[in-house]
Amino acid sequence: MWRLTRTTAFKLAIAYFVIVGLGFTLVMERVGENIRDLINEQTRQTIDAEIKGLADQYEVGGLTQLVAVVERRARAPGASIYLVAAPNGVVVAGNVLELPAGVLNQKTAVEIDYERLGEPNVERRALARVFTLPGNFHLLIGHDLEDRERLRHILGSALFTSLLWLLTIATFGGLFVARRLLQRVDAMSAKAATLLRGDLSGRLPLSGADDELDRLARNLNAMLDRIARLMEGIRQVSDNIAHDLRTPLTRLRNNAEQALQLEAGEEGARAALEQVIEEADGLIRIFNALLMIARAESRASRENFSDLDAAELARDMAELYEPAAEEAGVVLRAVAPRPAPIRGQRELIGQALANLIDNALKYGAPEVPGEPAEVFVRAELVGERVEISVGDRGPGIPAPERERVLERFVRLEASRSRPGSGLGLSLAAAVARLHDGALRIEDNAPGLRVVLSLPRRKETKAS
């Protein structure tokens, strides 16, 4: 029970009760004031009508007839209060035993405390008005406010009872809601405890209500899926690093050891040192690629964004790789006839495009002998996106493997005999995410087409 009262749901229920209670109290107070004003106004109108009638009686029959009428009305059951007083204040007729001092001198309707004739020591409250007759006689007529006070008491009792019921309902309702909410939170906490123990296969339960807790659970489950993929990626990266770096490091050590052998001679030592430098350069390229991927994924490079033309960048990269394409016997064509404005970092986008072209030159040879080897570099506008693509006529990548090759150090070549580290597509994907874009791998029929899709730069009008 103590845990339930400390939940947010229970506190919200009590806060809602306080707000509703205050609002209900203000409404009831306002209603009571309006009813009181209405009763007072009706009482004033009744008093004015009676004064007019008694004044007419005075004009017709004088004081004697007025006194007779007042005495008759005063003796009636449930009568109003009547009083006829002489100029010196002596009571001539009426049913009032005692009045507060100075009442007969009032010119407007006032609320007074009085004692009725025949009911001594019973103080009542009435709304009364004094009318001055010819000869300076005073005529006082009033009505008891007992009905008004009774109505006020009824409203007060209703307010108290309503607030009591509201408090009861809010308490039990808050406990009910808090218990259900606490059960769901406890279930999520229990599952989170298993996750903390290292079991990343579990996921937070969903109730199916699609409420805020379900939305939170879905987001957390998506985060856990991402963490699980990253953990699996780290494991694969560790395995791939151990495999990819062990071979060049072994060659590096062997070449260095060979250079130290005296019988190898100066030429042999020089050749061995050149091999050492080549292997060291390869290792440096791998670590540079890893650093560039980390830099892109950290999103720190956004500060260096500038306005670029993707079409111009595609033509420049194609021209840069044209000698390498000729050496490999591949026809490299750039198709970028129209400007394609984007905003980003030229160095990273250029490196990503270089990796895609390099992969196409390495692995894009046709499977059928005699067919021309071609690589196309395109930059085009597609709606609100700019797509930079590199296509070849090679064997391509099987559809089930196209997501996996975007991970670090993943190479589909099991023997790993060809040069490369398996970081090119990973870097391109990281650069795409940095620029709020995406990297797609598609079938080029035949061959492979890798598309770097980036947001088109919004053109600003000159002021």
Side-chain angles (χ1 to χ4, degrees), residues 254-273:
N254 292 338
N255 291 329
E257 185 177 2
Q258 183 180 352
L260 292 176
Q261 295 178 358
L262 298 177
E263 61 270 16
E266 183 178 350
E267 292 298 326
R270 179 179 292 276
L273 289 176

Side-chain angles (χ1 to χ4, degrees), residues 63-347:
L63 183 61
T64 303
Q65 186 170 339
L66 174 63
V67 169
V69 174
V70 168
E71 288 292 346
R72 186 174 62 253
R73 292 187 181 183
R75 288 193 298 269
S80 301
I81 62 173
Y82 299 93
L83 178 69
V84 178
N88 58 359
V90 176
V91 176
V92 176
N95 57 1
V96 178
L97 180 62
E98 184 177 353
L99 285 174
V103 171
L104 295 178
N105 297 323
Q106 297 292 331
K107 302 299 183 182
T108 59
V110 293
E111 293 188 15
I112 61 173
D113 295 322
Y114 75 100
E115 293 182 10
R116 188 184 287 265
L117 190 65
E119 298 178 1
N121 302 323
V122 178
E123 190 172 274
R124 294 173 175 270
R125 190 163 185 81
L127 181 66
R129 182 181 176 188
V130 178
F131 181 73
T132 303
L133 300 170
N136 207 23
F137 282 87
H138 299 287
L139 172 63
L140 180 143
I141 298 177
H143 277 267
D144 274 340
L145 297 177
E146 183 179 354
D147 291 340
R148 192 189 71 179
E149 297 302 321
R150 185 182 301 112
L151 180 60
R152 183 178 179 183
H153 176 72
I154 291 174
L155 290 176
S157 299
L159 175 61
F160 176 77
T161 304
S162 300
L163 291 178
L164 185 61
W165 276 107
L166 280 175
L167 177 61
T168 303
I169 294 173
T171 302
F172 284 99
L175 291 174
F176 174 75
V177 173
R179 182 178 179 183
R180 294 199 60 183
L181 183 61
L182 191 60
Q183 287 175 345
R184 294 183 60 186
V185 172
D186 285 343
M188 297 173 69
S189 298
K191 183 60 68 174
T194 63
L195 296 172
L196 290 175
R197 290 194 291 269
D199 181 14
L200 296 180
S201 60
R203 294 296 179 266
L204 300 179
L206 301 176
S207 67
D210 197 28
D211 55 6
E212 63 277 4
L213 288 180
D214 274 1
R215 292 194 293 271
L216 175 62
R218 276 196 293 269
N219 289 333
L220 291 176
N221 287 338
M223 181 182 68
L224 290 172
D225 291 338
R226 175 66 174 165
I227 291 175
R229 288 195 297 269
L230 291 176
M231 294 293 292
E232 180 63 21
I234 290 175
R235 186 188 65 79
Q236 292 180 358
V237 166
S238 300
D239 294 343
N240 292 330
I241 287 179
H243 187 281
D244 282 8
L245 296 187
R246 181 177 61 186
T247 300
L249 286 174
T250 301
R251 290 198 299 263
L252 187 66
R253 183 187 181 281
N254 292 338
N255 291 329
E257 185 177 2
Q258 183 180 352
L260 292 176
Q261 295 178 358
L262 298 177
E263 61 270 16
E266 183 178 350
E267 292 298 326
R270 179 179 292 276
L273 289 176
E274 289 177 354
Q275 290 293 327
V276 169
I277 293 174
E278 184 178 350
E279 296 293 344
D281 288 341
L283 292 174
I284 291 173
R285 284 193 296 271
I286 291 176
F287 285 107
N288 284 339
L290 288 172
L291 289 174
M292 191 169 290
I293 292 175
R295 179 184 171 192
E297 290 183 340
S298 69
R299 308 181 77 86
S301 302
R302 282 180 174 271
E303 300 176 357
N304 300 321
F305 277 17
S306 60
D307 294 341
L308 303 174
D309 183 5
E312 180 184 355
L313 181 60
R315 292 192 294 267
D316 291 345
M317 295 306 299
E319 183 179 353
L320 179 65
Y321 273 85
E322 191 171 348
E326 291 179 358
E327 185 178 348
V330 177
V331 177
L332 179 61
R333 292 192 176 95
V335 182
R338 296 174 55 193
I342 59 174
R343 183 167 180 80
Q345 189 176 125
R346 183 182 180 88
E347 176 190 357

Side-chain angles (χ1 to χ4, degrees), residues 393-405:
R393 300 297 182 184
I397 298 176
E401 300 290 338
R402 290 176 184 173
E403 288 294 329
R404 194 170 72 87
V405 296

